[in-house]
Structure formats: C-alpha cells, structure tokens
C-alpha cells in the first residue's frame, strides 16, 4: 500500500513544509524477516536532488506474532514523511529495501492557480 490516492499538493507559498502519511506493507517469506532489514525512503526533488527522508531498520524474528501458518509474513509500517518544498514540480518518494528500489510514489507540488476558479472557491 502506497499513499492514499493523494498525488498533488497545492501550496500557496514556497518554501513550505510538507508532511505526508505513507503506509507501507512489506510481505515475504519467513526467512526474509529473520535478519534485520533496512528500509529507506529517498525524496527526489524536481531538480533531481535526492535526500533521505526516512531510514529505519526492522526485523520480525523467527516466529512473528499472529502469523498464520502457510501465509507469507506481512508487516505494516505507518510512516510520516516531512520535507521542505522549495519549488513547484514533481517530487518522488523512492522506497528502498536493503538498498534496492522497490516502488516510487510521485507527488506533484502545484500552485493554487492550477485549480479551476470553481475549485478555488470551495472550502
């Protein structure tokens, strides 16, 4: 699970602090969770500058609690990403597991003038 259907943010001024909630679901065979794994989220700004916005290590162990026999181990990681948007454009949250990119989540930071006049007048 990545994101929550949010792909655009409208910011009145820049620079501006941005915060997003990102729920990550990690699944795999039991043996893949026995040793500590490294999860990292890197933010790629419109100018291609890359910054690490989250870095955590995790492991579940040999017998995870509530594990259903015969099913892959699954782990839900609720995370919060925060950064300062310095320009309008496409930002990308790249999710890495043990140094290997798994997914990318695009987030467009836009000017309020991109909204239609009808949308701007709604609360």
């Amino acid at each position: 699970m990545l994101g929550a259907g949010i792909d655009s943010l409208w910011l009145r001024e820049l620079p501006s602090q941005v915060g997003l909630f990102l729920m990550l679901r990690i699944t795999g065979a039991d043996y893949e969770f026995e040793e500590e794994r490294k999860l990292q989220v890197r933010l790629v700004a419109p100018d291609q500058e890359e910054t690490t916005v989250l870095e955590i290590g995790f492991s579940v162990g040999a017998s995870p609690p509530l594990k259903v026999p015969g099913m892959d181990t699954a782990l839900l990681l609720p995370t919060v990403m925060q950064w300062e948007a310095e320009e309008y454009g496409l930002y990308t949250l790249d999710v890495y597991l043990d140094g290997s990119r798994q997914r990318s989540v695009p987030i467009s930071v836009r000017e309020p003038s991109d909204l239609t006049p009808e949308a701007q007048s709604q609360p």
Side-chain angles (χ1 to χ4, degrees):
M1 278 186 279
L2 294 172
I6 296 172
D7 63 7
S8 294
L9 300 171
W10 287 268
L11 302 178
R12 293 193 188 281
E13 60 185 13
L14 293 178
S16 185
Q17 280 295 113
V18 173
L20 292 174
F21 176 78
L22 188 66
M23 178 65 79
L24 301 170
R25 183 173 188 262
I26 301 172
T27 64
D30 292 347
Y31 70 88
E32 293 182 286
F33 289 91
E34 290 175 356
E35 295 181 18
E36 183 165 293
R37 309 302 294 261
K38 181 181 169 186
L39 177 78
Q40 188 178 59
V41 179
R42 301 177 193 166
L43 174 74
V44 181
D47 65 2
Q48 301 303 306
E49 182 179 331
E50 192 173 293
T51 307
T52 299
V53 291
L54 175 72
E55 190 168 10
I56 60 172
F58 68 91
S59 65
V60 177
S63 57
L66 306 177
K67 170 78 167 77
V68 177
M71 292 181 68
D72 281 344
T73 297
L75 179 65
L76 287 175
L77 293 173
T79 62
V80 175
M81 308 292 127
Q82 294 185 332
W83 75 90
E84 187 166 315
E86 295 181 356
E87 61 185 298
Y88 294 108
L90 183 64
Y91 290 77
T92 305
L93 295 170
D94 288 338
V95 180
Y96 287 79
L97 186 60
D98 294 331
S100 175
R101 188 170 62 84
Q102 302 296 309
R103 295 277 192 273
S104 293
V105 180
I107 304 291
S108 180
V109 173
R110 303 171 70 179
E111 297 182 62
S113 61
D114 289 347
L115 294 170
T116 63
E118 297 82 29
Q120 290 181 27
S121 64
Q122 294 180 6

